[in-house]
Amino acid sequence: MQMGSGARKLALTAHIIASLGWIGAVAAFIALDVTTVTSDTSTTLRAAYIGMDLMTRWAIVPLAFASFASGLLMSLGTKWGLFRHWWVVITLLLTAIATIVLLVQVPVIDHRADMAADPTTSDLELASMGNLLPHSVGGTIVLLVITVLNVYKPRGLTRYGWRKQQQDAAQSSDAS
Amino acid sequence: MSRDLPGPMEPPQADQPPKTPTWVWILIGVVVLGGAVLLTMHLMGGGMMGHH
């Protein structure tokens, strides 16, 4: 079932806000992630690890789910469908992978924040906790690829999309 | 007319299912390669190592 014009615009607005918000939140996360690499100050490291956890829980994860859900709504409620066009299929797959990797990293980020908040954690332990840059930078690249796919919408029908197109054409010729 | 021979009801070439575009294969390759690199770094402790 396809959405009406008003509902489609509302869903598209929500999808753009959530998706770009996700990218922005990850960019802010990377800033703190880089801080854990470059800073030697104990208080800065503690603040960065705690900030990364708060940012993940209250911004990145909710925005990831909102982006995923609004993307599903947009594809299922419009002519694009979920499995008709390759750019939609790849977007769905990449979003799912990015969300799963994010959820796997949440306990790691949470543990580091707990250690950073614990006053008994030594500076040496704090300094040896490390960073998540491969994940955060890799995730950003994936999100940017998704954005490019969504803007350019490269041509390419899946077999399912081709069959549906044939069916739709046959139905419209029968009706006329 | 033999049933094995293409008749007038055979679909024309344009109605054949589309091939998977090249950009899809390239993107899948890049994602698999990137995933393998990340996984290797993860397993070897590269992403989790301390910075000092």
Side-chain angles (χ1 to χ4, degrees), chain A:
Chain A
M1 194 181 114
Q2 292 199 6
M3 292 186 282
S5 172
R8 187 176 54 78
K9 281 180 181 170
L10 185 67
L12 179 62
T13 306
H15 185 57
I16 290 171
I17 291 170
S19 304
L20 295 183
W22 186 4
I23 295 174
V26 174
F29 182 95
I30 290 175
L32 294 180
D33 212 353
V34 169
T35 304
T36 65
V37 178
T38 56
S39 176
D40 286 326
T41 317
S42 164
T43 48
T44 307
L45 284 175
R46 286 182 195 276
Y49 284 120
I50 293 168
M52 283 161 77
D53 184 46
L54 291 171
M55 208 170 277
T56 304
R57 284 180 180 281
W58 298 105
I60 298 175
V61 171
L63 286 167
F65 279 118
S67 173
F68 194 86
S70 57
L72 278 181
L73 190 68
M74 278 300 298
S75 54
L76 291 172
T78 62
K79 61 170 182 158
W80 295 106
L82 197 52
F83 300 108
R84 293 184 181 205
H85 298 266
W86 276 111
W87 73 266
V88 181
V89 175
I90 298 287
T91 296
L92 175 71
L93 278 177
L94 289 179
T95 309
I97 291 170
T99 306
I100 290 167
V101 172
L102 169 65
L103 292 178
V104 168
Q105 292 304 314
V106 167
V108 178
I109 297 164
D110 183 46
H111 174 68
R112 289 176 186 196
D114 285 346
M115 283 187 70
D118 186 351
T120 62
T121 303
S122 69
D123 289 358
L124 190 66
E125 284 176 311
L126 208 60
S128 63
M129 283 202 290
N131 64 82
L132 292 165
L133 278 173
H135 292 99
S136 53
V137 173
T140 306
I141 293 169
V142 169
L143 295 179
L144 292 177
V145 169
I146 292 171
T147 307
V148 171
L149 282 179
N150 279 255
V151 171
Y152 283 89
K153 299 177 176 57
R155 284 173 185 274
L157 279 174
T158 61
R159 277 176 178 268
Y160 170 75
W162 176 78
R163 278 204 308 273
K164 293 294 283 183
Q165 199 178 57
Q166 301 288 103
Q167 285 171 9
D168 292 347
Q171 276 174 4
S172 61
S173 67
D174 285 349
S176 60

Side-chain angles (χ1 to χ4, degrees), chain A residues 97, chain B residues 28-44:
Chain A
I97 291 170
Chain B
I28 289 172
V30 169
V31 169
V32 170
L33 210 63
V37 169
L38 258 185
L39 194 66
T40 308
M41 286 176 77
H42 186 80
L43 292 175
M44 292 177 71

